[in-house]
Amino acid sequence: TMSLREHALSLFRGAVGTVRPAPMLKRALKLQGNGCPQLLVKGQAFPVKRDLYLVGFGKAVLGMAAAAEEILGDHLTRGIINVPLGIQESLQRAGMQEMLLKPHSKIQVIEGAKNNLPDEEALKGAVAILELAQGLTADDLLLVLISGRGGSALLPAPIPPIVLKEKEKLTKMLASRGAAIQELNIVRKTLSMLKGGGLAQLAHPVQVVSLILSDVIGDPLDIIASGPTAPSSHSVQDCLQILTKYNLLHNLPKSVEMVLSSSPTKPTALENYSHVSNIILGSNTLALEEAKRQAEGLGYAAVVLSAAVQGEVGRVATLYCHLIQLVCLGFASLGKGPLSDELRGNLLQLAAELQIPGLDLDEFLQALQGLGPDRPVCILAGGETTVQLQGKGKGGRNQELALRVGLGLHKAQATGASSPQGRCEILFLSGGTDGQDGPTEAAGAFCSPGLVAEALQEGLDVEAFLRNNDSYTFFSQFQGGHHLLVTGLTGTNVMDIQAILIRAM
């Protein structure tokens, strides 16, 4: 029989594979007919009356553009994509030719946004995209490829007379006064020509079809890459309120004052977006659906907890530990009783505190109750946790989450709080779908209570590793790093995926 580790690895690979640019585009995008060709996107038809153009921005867009050009062939007139600095070289080095454009491509590649910050190169690319969109005629079709990660930094085009440096300075001042990322984005959008629906408005009345890879919880169109083709739900009033809140209204650069005073007070009406279709091609939800399908194929009873798990890594680890203990109690036919009632109560309270969108824990626990020990159980989840950095160690949020879950389960076992856990074989996996977790070459890690027990026997202080945010060093010390999840760059990003595998011993 395959080990739980092999199963978990295969589920993770399947989930990521389904949101990789090439397979994702080939499934969703087709070009049909010769007389008047049609672009088919997930079954929706868009007639190509005249010329077909392509623009794109974001970390995964290079691979998306390569796949799109293959599908569109000669029908593509011209394209411009704005991608992170150095990405072509790193894909070349990683041997990922399929993510790169062919030598005589019609798509121009501009690299910019070093360290994910808007810079002159990114501005050049944004201006080129802006000019292309403005120059189209009514019968053209504009295909827009958007990948959330890095998409916003690659599209800086401040409304004149604001210059990039002034916009950056204002953003930094807001950030230093404690403005939340949502607030920063509202201010950026208000001062930008392309964000907050600007790109779609500049292309009007051309048919705009946006294909989106989401890296944001809940896939909100106006938030992913700052929503260049989606109606903004914010107005200038919102921007002014934020500037007032952080006491910046009275020392703004003249250019920013000018733009704010001449901006329309209401967001663009929805009917002005009738020429736009925004289509989500890849998301955490889609990746989890594929992992569930594969888990069922391997004989697991598989359930998806949520694609929107967020919150501090320690609290999320506790949530997973309680869930695993409940399943083990069920396996030992102890699913009813004071211990499971206590766990259930703790779980409901934790879930309420973490405010995981769309999670109906009652319903989920109902589904778990029906699962007996005759089939192994697989619980899947996704989202993005946060780590408060305290130490100087090496690791990432996925490796830290895995280690915390392993430690939590080991402690519960040691205190005898859930002796039935001893009759379960448990594996927890957490990994970043982009193949990178923190500043390490690992995407995440596998952990089990047994691994923690082994570490403690060898005299390792697991808690000290966690205090120093040094999970990578911890996992590297065992069986030649066998517990690290190493996938290499994947060319995609839909946040993180967690898989919990449990089988009766």
Side-chain angles (χ1 to χ4, degrees), residues 369-453:
Q369 278 222 290
L371 308 175
D374 43 345
R375 277 174 80 195
V377 170
C378 169
I379 298 174
L380 295 157
E384 210 158 81
T385 57
T386 46
V387 175
Q388 298 287 320
L389 284 177
Q390 284 156 339
K392 300 257 189 296
K394 197 173 175 190
R397 59 178 182 260
N398 288 290
Q399 294 162 67
E400 180 152 330
L401 179 61
L403 186 51
R404 284 181 182 278
V405 169
L407 180 64
L409 291 171
H410 172 78
K411 279 183 172 168
Q413 222 163 332
T415 56
S418 66
S419 47
Q421 206 181 286
R423 296 183 222 170
C424 278
E425 190 189 351
I426 301 162
L427 182 80
F428 178 84
L429 163 71
S430 186
T433 53
D434 59 355
Q436 292 171 299
D437 185 36
T440 73
E441 87 280 3
F446 307 86
C447 199
S448 64
L451 177 70
V452 172

Side-chain angles (χ1 to χ4, degrees), residues 468-491:
N468 195 28
N469 299 114
D470 204 13
S471 49
Y472 175 80
T473 307
F474 173 86
F475 286 116
S476 304
Q477 295 188 357
F478 282 92
Q479 301 161 357
H482 178 69
H483 297 276
L484 286 167
L485 168 68
V486 181
T487 60
L489 282 180
T490 63

Side-chain angles (χ1 to χ4, degrees), residues 324-399:
I324 292 165
Q325 287 166 278
L326 263 182
V327 174
C328 291
L329 284 173
F331 273 15
S333 311
L334 298 170
K336 303 257 189 293
L339 182 57
S340 77
D341 290 345
E342 184 191 344
L343 278 171
R344 205 172 251 115
N346 290 344
L347 261 174
L348 289 167
Q349 191 186 338
L350 247 181
E353 284 170 24
L354 287 167
Q355 294 183 331
I356 296 167
L359 171 60
D360 184 344
L361 197 59
D362 272 327
E363 193 182 309
F364 183 78
L365 294 175
Q366 250 359 91
L368 277 188
Q369 278 222 290
L371 308 175
D374 43 345
R375 277 174 80 195
V377 170
C378 169
I379 298 174
L380 295 157
E384 210 158 81
T385 57
T386 46
V387 175
Q388 298 287 320
L389 284 177
Q390 284 156 339
K392 300 257 189 296
K394 197 173 175 190
R397 59 178 182 260
N398 288 290
Q399 294 162 67

